[in-house]
Amino acid sequence: MYFNREIETMPLDRLRALQNERLQSQVHMMYQQIPHYRELFRQHNLKPSDISGVRDLHKIPFTHKSALRDNYPFGLFARQRKDLARLHCSSGTTGKPIVVGYTQHDIGVFAEVVARSLAAAGCRPGMLLQNAYGYGLFTGGLGIHYGAELLGMTVLPISGGGTEKQLMLMQDFQSDVICCTPSYALTLAEEMKRRNIDQSALALRFAVLGAEPWTESVRSEIERKLQVNATNIYGLSEIIGPGVSQEDYEEKGTGSYIWEDHFYPEIVDKDTGDPLPYGEQGVLVFTTLTKEASPVLRYYTNDIASVYYDKSAKRTHIKMSPIAGRADDMLIIRGVNLFHTQVEAVIQNIPELTPNYQLVVFRKGAMDEVEVRVEVESALFDSIAAEQDAPLEHDRFLAAFHLLQKRIKDTIGLSMRVTLEHPGAIPRSEGGKLNRIVHRQA
């Protein structure tokens, strides 16, 4: 299903012409209205007329998150506060938050790209969407809410957390769709099992999951335990919120469509900043093409991904790969670049282990080391525990322990300490993002 078939299937030459037209308009507006960008252009001997289209974007320096913090609260806004319909803030834990604004036009764009995303995820008018993203300053809850209503869905605005009530209403209201983080979807699935809730008695069919990186192993686990079709939704507050890109439920594993009539993507080398060709992995950079209140040029997301056109896809818009990690969260262990999703991908093929894991980084001498804490499969654990006092020392778990160590070494190139944990030992999500990496003193 399409929400806006004309735009979603627009021939690429027409789409590019639309992008060029919108970019020129955006650049001229920002030059006139935002002193930061006017000064940036002056420092680099640029004029708005130098940017004739997306092919000229590389001439413009990146916008980093620090620029948004340095201009707190409204210094990067192109509209006066009295003209804004809404303000959101990032969930940053240090310093001032990132503030983003929306005119009524921006709210309309936000709702449309989310409606497109939900339609691609399999949602249909009349379905009941249980929205377990947080409401408030975070863009997730209200972003999904307005888009779902625009699509014609019934929205249950339950927000994040409150697992007992989530499951009660999911049963009583017969929700068709759940929207939350992937880690919280696993939390719901585990709690359903603990409470002996029969999934076949639910109406749940689709899960629209985002706000944190996740892998195919997590998707498989969620789909198996919740009996849903699970797709990824991607976004960030600095660009608009959720709905920047979305997987199609019939094309899972081939990437997420970026709604590039509103958000133009680039991939750049994390060390040099040079643009990279389609298909190569680097840092994802976005330029807004239609945003009125707080537009950005070449926003450096720090997310690691690739973009490419899929000629066999049902839409013409470019696709992006899953997020491999963040450039600023990348671990460098004994000279090897490491993202936690690489470890997750290794864990997925060992049936005795679950996707519930955590990387613990600690210092040993002059070098950083990594410990992988991973939970064992609960049903197997319970069956072994019924027979012996130390189930984690059973031959099957010891074999899984050695296999995980070997595969990490073979595929990632690092030796890591592995600790098997009993079910429930790794912290669970209560609706927010789950921290897979912790740092501790040795």
Side-chain angles (χ1 to χ4, degrees), residues 364-381:
K364 185 176 182 181
M367 304 293 288
D368 282 333
E369 300 286 343
V370 178
E371 175 190 11
V372 183
R373 299 178 61 220
V374 58
E375 288 181 15
V376 300
E377 202 277 327
S378 59
L380 178 60
F381 179 88

Side-chain angles (χ1 to χ4, degrees), residues 45-238:
N45 297 315
L46 285 173
K47 303 184 297 295
S49 58
D50 294 328
I51 311 302
S52 61
V54 296
R55 67 185 179 186
D56 294 324
L57 271 172
H58 68 278
K59 300 175 182 178
I60 303 173
F62 299 119
T63 301
H64 291 276
K65 184 170 287 190
S66 57
L68 280 72
R69 289 199 180 102
D70 292 345
N71 287 277
Y72 174 90
F74 307 132
L76 285 187
F77 280 25
R79 295 289 189 275
Q80 296 183 37
R81 191 193 58 76
K82 65 181 180 62
D83 298 322
L84 304 180
R86 188 191 301 169
L87 291 169
H88 279 286
C89 293
S90 71
S91 54
T93 57
T94 60
K96 297 289 188 180
I98 301 301
V99 182
V100 291
Y102 302 78
T103 64
Q104 199 60 55
H105 166 269
D106 295 333
I107 295 295
V109 170
F110 197 3
E112 165 151 350
V113 295
V114 171
R116 289 186 205 177
S117 298
L118 293 174
C123 302
R124 301 293 181 265
M127 286 185 175
L128 195 155
L129 183 146
Q130 184 162 327
N131 190 7
Y133 284 118
Y135 282 69
L137 292 178
F138 173 56
T139 55
L142 286 172
I144 294 292
H145 186 118
Y146 275 60
E149 288 185 340
L150 183 62
L151 183 59
M153 304 180 76
T154 302
V155 182
L156 175 60
I158 192 168
S159 194
T163 301
E164 182 176 356
K165 181 171 286 188
Q166 296 272 3
L167 294 176
M168 180 187 75
L169 297 185
M170 188 181 293
Q171 295 174 86
D172 294 347
F173 292 4
Q174 289 291 286
S175 305
D176 299 287
V177 183
I178 181 72
C179 289
C180 61
T181 63
S183 53
Y184 191 56
L186 284 173
T187 297
L188 291 172
E190 290 181 354
E191 190 64 16
M192 285 174 58
K193 180 180 180 181
R194 193 181 74 81
R195 294 170 180 266
N196 294 315
I197 296 174
D198 181 9
Q199 197 285 331
S200 64
L202 301 178
L204 206 62
R205 296 170 55 196
F206 298 100
V208 184
L209 310 175
E212 61 190 24
W214 53 304
T215 61
E216 288 298 324
S217 63
V218 172
R219 190 206 304 271
S220 298
E221 192 86 355
I222 290 168
E223 291 189 332
R224 179 175 63 84
K225 291 182 175 180
L226 290 181
Q227 293 296 296
V228 293
N229 192 306
T231 55
N232 186 63
I233 189 168
Y234 172 82
L236 56 168
S237 299
E238 297 90 331

